[in-house]
Amino acid sequence: MSNRLYSPGGDLHLVNGTLVWYYLICRREAWLMAHNLEPEQENESIEMGRFLHDTAYPKERKEILFGHMKVDVLRREGDKWVIGEVKKSSRFQQSATMQLLFYIRELRKAGIDAEGELQFPEEKRKVSVQLTPRAEEELENVIREIEKIIESKTPPSAEWCRYCQTCAYSDFCWA
């Protein structure tokens, strides 16, 4: 699977880690992001994410670009690379895990052996993430679902959930 597809407007899109993250929180967010509709940049959650990214784990290398990916943290441990994804809280641990699995899989495709680590600085904890055959199968299913959603001419219907209160896309759904 190449992860490449074309939107109804003909623009090339790549399924990426950010879309995996958004899809598992809200399918409508994934569609909006894939169609280049930016969230409100002054949103408190986005600003907090930027602050954490800039200040958490200062000794580790930050935001490494690799192809169409931006990995938050990268370090070497022996003969393996460890990539980290920094998140404000573990509230979205499932979506963060899948995002990190996506990055690990992409690195593996490029011949780079890597392990993952979710980092929750406010909770002072880290969670190891491994790309197992079962996790890779689940990730492939998520990617197929994302492709179906973003190929659609219109976004999925807005569905209220507890995360809508702080969502940077709320104006697209509830204005």
Side-chain angles (χ1 to χ4, degrees):
M1 174 175 294
S2 71
N3 298 338
R4 293 182 185 274
L5 56 111
Y6 291 88
S7 73
D11 299 321
L12 176 66
H13 289 284
L14 294 174
V15 173
N16 60 35
T18 304
L19 287 179
V20 170
W21 161 264
Y22 277 108
Y23 167 82
L24 289 163
I25 295 169
C26 174
R27 288 165 167 81
R28 185 174 175 89
E29 279 184 292
W31 188 94
L32 292 167
M33 178 64 76
H35 290 266
N36 299 316
L37 296 167
E38 292 290 321
E40 178 197 339
Q41 295 302 303
E42 304 304 314
N43 176 277
E44 186 177 316
S45 294
I46 288 178
E47 288 179 349
M48 176 58 114
R50 281 191 205 113
F51 174 77
L52 277 176
H53 183 268
D54 291 343
T55 60
Y57 309 107
K59 294 180 182 176
E60 295 178 332
R61 202 162 171 207
K62 301 264 179 110
E63 200 165 87
I64 308 303
L65 255 86
F66 182 81
H68 63 285
M69 304 183 318
K70 271 189 191 174
V71 177
D72 285 348
V73 176
L74 176 69
R75 72 174 182 274
R76 188 89 171 159
E77 285 186 1
D79 62 342
K80 283 202 177 201
W81 288 100
V82 177
I83 58 171
E85 189 62 28
V86 179
K87 298 296 182 186
K88 181 172 75 170
S89 80
S90 58
R91 184 169 78 169
F92 301 113
Q93 188 167 331
Q94 178 198 13
S95 57
T97 299
M98 291 303 276
Q99 179 182 14
L100 194 50
L101 288 170
F102 180 87
Y103 295 151
I104 294 167
R105 186 192 73 149
E106 292 299 298
L107 290 171
R108 191 174 285 173
K109 282 181 183 178
I112 300 169
D113 191 23
E115 293 180 358
E117 184 177 82
L118 293 175
Q119 301 175 350
F120 306 107
E122 289 189 345
E123 298 172 10
K124 294 181 174 47
R125 71 184 195 101
K126 298 177 181 184
V127 176
S128 178
V129 175
Q130 304 290 323
L131 184 62
T132 64
R134 182 174 181 206
E136 190 165 17
E137 183 179 322
E138 187 178 345
L139 178 61
E140 289 298 329
N141 290 333
V142 166
I143 290 169
R144 279 192 291 278
E145 289 300 312
I146 292 169
E147 289 172 342
K148 286 179 193 175
I149 286 171
I150 63 179
E151 284 176 340
S152 174
K153 290 182 181 187
T154 58
S157 298
E159 293 179 28
W160 180 263
C161 73
R162 63 186 173 146
Y163 307 122
C164 293
Q165 295 173 359
T166 58
C167 178
Y169 278 110
S170 64
D171 287 348
F172 286 98
C173 301
W174 312 112

